[in-house]
Amino acid sequence: MQIPHPPLDAADRRIGVPAGKVLLAGALGLALAIVLNSQQLLREAQQKPFGWERDASVAVWEPVEGVASAAGAHLPRLWVDEAFGRDVADPGATTDPLSAVAGGETADEAGGAVADDPARAGVVVADPATPAITGARSSDDVAPGASVTTMPWFPTPADPLRLHIMGDSMVQFFGHVMVGLADDTGVIEASTEHQLSSGLSRPDFYDWPARIVEALAAEDPDAVVLMFGGNDAQAIVVDGQIARRFSDAWVQEYSARVGHVMDLVTTDPDRVLIWVGQPIMEDPEYDSRMQRLNEVFDAEAAKRDRVHFVETRDLFRGPNGGFSRYVADADGQLADVRLTDGVHLSTIGGRWLSQVLLDELGLFVDLSAGAQS
């Protein structure tokens, strides 16, 4: 016999919610999230490589951000960021570089960009104990008329060398490793910072020269390591016109930007700059672009006696002379030196590069007090 269930009292009854209300609540939540984050969404749209996708994204988010900011809807996000110590710079205040473009070639014609993550890179390694990789300048390999700068003092545990490392996502994957190795010397006090998807081509997205000035004032380093380029092979704005990557106007402007950064760092006559070149990349087209950027870096460094360009292509070159994710170490054992994206360094690769850079620094600064302590 079937036993009837007891009647439910009011507390036990489940109240159903119509599907329409659920969808409406979800839509309202999404709209609220968009309004609160409208400035960041616009900034990400402006960050995209010049082209129709960027134009469409900016066209969508500019009016949204304008209405949201006028209503003060962006303020809660800024307050939260400030409370957690995040960057509170107003992304909506960034000037869109294309707003000044009048005529000339279109964004689509100007050439695209390679972002930090999409590109492919590759290389193989040499013995990490090697003092300096092929291509790194030593006391016998500097530009005509230039002189090798030696720091006017010897770092000690009580008076350590201050080293600051800056750059894009490549620095993210080796900077912290280099800080650790530098600290292990006992005579170097190191720090690092990076900004994803940044470089020197798009100051509208991230203004590295301005940040470098701030960092130099705050850190007062004796030596600086910089690595840029992974995102820079894209069209740039020159005098209100879009310059196609690697065109004459592009090379002239980009070279000037690289030189300007080098000069900013070496304004202090006792400071040395090590500029890290791009390694071999897995994707042939992307690798070709990075080689051209390396030529610019090397040429500008050669003009300055306190700027030292370190070539990294041979450091990660494979047995076949090209890209390889796995490279033999000093003991002949294969080491995984690159990430699966074919661009960034693994922890092991970061350690190899960091040691090479410290060895390069040792050509210009006497670090022997650390070995003696």
Side-chain angles (χ1 to χ4, degrees):
M1 184 178 72
Q2 184 176 5
I3 301 176
H5 294 290
L8 298 176
D9 57 26
D12 293 330
R13 296 182 184 276
R14 294 183 179 179
I15 301 176
V17 179
K21 290 186 177 181
V22 174
L23 293 176
L24 178 60
L28 291 175
L30 177 61
L32 179 61
I34 289 175
V35 169
L36 293 176
N37 294 280
S38 60
Q39 288 191 341
Q40 182 62 30
L41 292 170
L42 175 58
R43 184 171 177 81
E44 291 176 358
Q46 293 175 341
Q47 168 196 341
K48 293 178 180 292
F50 297 140
W52 71 267
E53 290 186 1
R54 178 188 185 280
D55 296 341
S57 297
V58 171
V60 169
W61 296 119
E62 267 189 339
V64 174
E65 192 282 326
V67 172
S69 292
H74 66 296
L75 295 179
R77 168 67 183 268
L78 295 180
W79 293 335
V80 171
D81 286 345
E82 186 174 23
F84 283 91
R86 302 183 187 125
D87 182 10
V88 296
D90 182 359
T94 301
T95 300
D96 186 343
L98 288 185
S99 64
V101 175
E105 61 183 346
T106 66
D108 287 334
E109 294 171 340
V114 178
D116 262 319
D117 296 329
R120 292 282 180 125
V123 184
V124 176
V125 140
D127 185 347
T130 303
I133 63 176
T134 303
R137 296 225 305 280
S138 66
S139 58
D140 297 323
D141 183 20
V142 296
S147 61
V148 174
T149 299
T150 301
M151 302 297 282
W153 47 269
F154 303 95
T156 65
D159 186 18
L161 172 82
R162 294 183 298 276
L163 171 67
H164 194 54
I165 309 156
M166 294 180 278
D168 56 25
S169 65
M170 292 295 282
V171 170
Q172 176 189 22
F173 288 96
F174 83 85
H176 66 287
V177 177
M178 188 173 183
V179 167
L181 291 178
D183 289 344
D184 289 344
T185 67
V187 293
I188 300 178
E189 186 177 277
S191 55
T192 184
E193 63 179 274
H194 67 274
Q195 178 64 43
L196 300 180
S197 302
S198 68
L200 303 182
S201 289
R202 296 291 297 277
D204 59 298
F205 167 64
Y206 193 81
D207 191 341
W208 266 112
R211 174 55 200 156
I212 286 171
V213 170
E214 295 173 350
L216 294 178
E219 304 292 337
D220 189 24
D222 304 299
V224 172
V225 170
L226 293 181
M227 189 172 188
F228 297 115
N231 307 291
D232 282 351
Q234 60 172 294
I236 59 179
V237 175
V238 181
D239 297 329
Q241 301 292 322
I242 299 178
R244 185 190 300 272
R245 64 180 171 220
F246 303 130
S247 64
D248 290 344
W250 190 100
V251 172
Q252 182 177 359
E253 174 65 18
Y254 188 75
S255 298
R257 294 183 187 187
V258 170
H260 176 58
V261 168
M262 291 177 174
D263 292 338
L264 285 176
V265 174
T266 56
T267 298
D268 186 328
D270 292 332
R271 182 180 296 133
V272 65
L273 167 61
I274 295 177
W275 193 291
V276 186
Q278 292 292 319
I280 297 177
M281 300 298 174
E282 185 175 27
D283 180 83
E285 183 179 353
Y286 182 56
D287 182 53
S288 177
R289 296 171 187 170
M290 295 303 100
Q291 288 188 61
R292 296 196 65 174
L293 293 183
N294 282 343
E295 292 172 1
V296 173
F297 303 149
D298 196 12
E300 290 302 314
K303 301 175 184 177
R304 298 162 173 85
D305 67 334
R306 283 180 291 115
V307 180
H308 311 287
F309 175 72
V310 174
E311 172 65 66
T312 63
R313 294 182 63 81
D314 287 342
L315 179 62
F316 297 105
R317 193 179 299 280
N320 63 351
F323 172 85
S324 178
R325 179 178 167 187
Y326 297 92
V327 181
D329 62 16
D331 296 325
Q333 301 297 314
L334 289 179
D336 188 354
V337 296
R338 305 298 284 271
L339 298 185
T340 56
D341 64 5
V343 177
H344 298 97
L345 304 176
S346 68
T347 300
I348 296 175
R351 185 179 303 117
W352 287 8
L353 175 58
S354 297
Q355 187 58 61
V356 165
L357 297 178
L358 289 174
D359 291 343
E360 178 76 6
L361 183 60
L363 296 174
F364 312 100
V365 181
D366 191 332
L367 303 176
S368 59
Q372 298 169 3
S373 60

